[in-house]
Amino acid sequence: MEVVYEKILEMQKKDGTAPPPPQINPFDWNEDGKKDIITGSDSGQVYVYLNTGTNSQPIYGKPAKIPGVEVQRLSDPYIADYNSDGKKDVIVGQASGEVSVFINMGTNQSPLYAAEMKLNDGSLDVGQYSSVSMVDWNADGKKDLLVGNSRGNVYVFFNMGDNSQPRFSDDGMKTQISVSGYATPFVADWNGDGKFDIICGSSDGKVYIFINEGTDKNPVFGKSQTLQVNNKELRLPSHTAVVPLDWDDDGKIDLLVSNKKVVEQIGGRTDETPFGIYLLMNTGTKEKPEFKELKPIKGKFKDDTVL
């Protein structure tokens, strides 16, 4: 039946009567209405932690590997509908600075991923440690690629193809988004003005917000702000990554923030910063987010987890 449906849909696309593809929920892996957590790892494997509790009281057990989705080292996954077919694909940043995509050949309930495809045959490369997000940067109706790197810079690669068959420029345009190091950009409308803003993790343990003061076709970002929790600047003990999402479905941005495990040898002793994932619920408004508490999320997370 699915093959027949796809043929009908292809015919509808040609005559212009096809309905728009359904919107995916990148934070609900198994379509049960609860927020799951998808992570990368130092080893390059990508994992899903299913929420067996509720959104108000989440419970995360052991990780499950996403079969076939793996890169060489430091996988940094981003869930998106890469080819606009209504299914969850996995775009993966990695230690090499390249970006790979794994196309879902199954369904959202039972995903089945095709072999790794390096974007632009590996020539889409930001140097070292790529972290990926997608956005229509120039309001031309096509999804572009936003990629951070280990130096703290963020580049945009424009979609020269279309949404069903993206094809990106080899050379990224350096944006105004810059942090101390290990930039992990994520796109969200931070202040509810209808324009996309950038929230970005950094190697200095802070989270930065860049407000879009430009237009839809020409985004311009003001001076960075740092995330405040209970009116104090948030600073975690190691590299941060941040995922904005509406955790409780109240229409306001909440945040998942992580700090990476770091092991250092200092003066003959081993100093270790453990990995952690934290939930920050927005107690403010859609236009002016506020956060009062950094709440640790409990789970059997692997030590080498990359959020």
Side-chain angles (χ1 to χ4, degrees):
M1 287 299 294
E2 188 170 338
V3 174
V4 173
Y5 172 76
E6 288 179 354
K7 287 182 178 179
I8 294 172
L9 188 61
E10 188 61 35
M11 292 173 63
Q12 290 176 328
K13 285 180 180 178
K14 290 179 180 179
D15 65 20
T17 62
Q23 293 294 308
I24 69 165
N25 184 341
F27 311 112
D28 182 1
W29 185 255
N30 58 351
E31 306 285 316
D32 66 352
K34 294 182 288 189
K35 302 297 189 297
D36 305 310
I37 295 178
I38 296 93
T39 74
S41 63
D42 288 349
S43 66
Q45 181 68 56
V46 176
Y47 297 92
V48 59
Y49 293 82
L50 295 177
N51 184 356
T52 58
T54 63
N55 286 335
S56 58
Q57 296 291 332
I59 298 173
Y60 296 99
K62 293 181 179 180
K65 289 183 180 180
I66 299 178
V69 181
E70 184 177 4
V71 295
Q72 284 191 337
R73 286 186 59 246
L74 289 175
S75 53
D76 191 341
Y78 178 81
I79 309 302
D81 183 0
Y82 179 82
N83 56 353
S84 298
D85 64 354
K87 294 185 287 189
K88 298 184 182 83
D89 306 308
V90 187
I91 309 169
V92 186
Q94 53 204 281
S96 66
E98 300 166 307
V99 177
S100 298
V101 63
F102 298 82
I103 299 297
N104 186 357
M105 308 301 292
T107 65
N108 283 329
Q109 291 79 14
S110 300
L112 177 65
Y113 288 98
E116 176 185 10
M117 179 175 68
K118 288 190 175 182
L119 297 189
N120 297 12
D121 295 321
S123 61
L124 195 159
D125 188 339
V126 293
Q128 191 177 24
Y129 186 74
S130 50
S131 181
V132 184
S133 191
M134 290 194 92
V135 63
D136 182 0
W137 184 271
N138 54 357
D140 65 353
K142 297 185 291 186
K143 294 171 286 192
D144 306 308
L145 204 65
L146 201 62
V147 189
N149 71 2
S150 62
R151 293 186 176 182
N153 299 319
V154 177
Y155 298 84
V156 60
F157 293 84
F158 290 103
N159 187 351
M160 314 301 290
D162 56 38
N163 281 333
S164 61
Q165 293 183 312
R167 179 173 55 84
F168 298 99
S169 54
D170 282 338
D171 297 321
M173 183 186 80
K174 190 175 181 180
T175 71
Q176 298 165 283
I177 311 303
S178 180
V179 295
S180 296
Y182 290 88
T184 59
F186 217 109
V187 176
D189 181 2
W190 183 257
N191 56 358
D193 65 355
K195 296 182 291 187
F196 73 86
D197 308 303
I198 308 295
I199 302 128
C200 193
S202 172
S203 60
D204 61 7
K206 302 178 185 179
V207 172
Y208 292 87
I209 299 115
F210 297 84
I211 299 297
N212 185 353
E213 299 174 351
T215 64
D216 289 342
K217 292 186 176 181
N218 184 30
V220 177
F221 296 91
K223 185 179 178 181
S224 66
Q225 307 170 22
T226 56
L227 180 65
Q228 307 287 306
V229 178
N230 203 18
N231 297 316
K232 294 181 181 179
E233 181 179 75
L234 174 68
R235 187 162 190 172
L236 296 176
S238 64
H239 302 181
T240 54
V242 58
V243 176
L245 73 168
D246 185 356
W247 188 271
D248 55 359
D249 300 315
D250 65 352
K252 300 185 295 186
I253 289 178
D254 308 305
L255 298 174
L256 280 179
V257 178
S258 74
N259 68 266
K260 187 168 176 55
K261 177 179 178 178
V262 175
V263 179
E264 296 179 298
Q265 297 295 326
I266 302 174
R269 76 175 194 277
T270 300
D271 192 10
E272 181 174 310
T273 300
F275 169 79
I277 297 182
Y278 308 91
L279 176 62
L280 292 92
M281 299 300 296
N282 185 356
T283 57
T285 64
K286 184 177 180 180
E287 294 76 20
K288 191 176 180 180
E290 292 182 6
F291 304 94
K292 299 295 185 185
E293 182 184 6
L294 188 70
K295 182 180 179 181
I297 287 188
K298 297 180 180 179
K300 296 182 180 180
F301 298 109
K302 291 171 62 65
D303 285 345
D304 67 344
T305 293
V306 177
L307 183 60

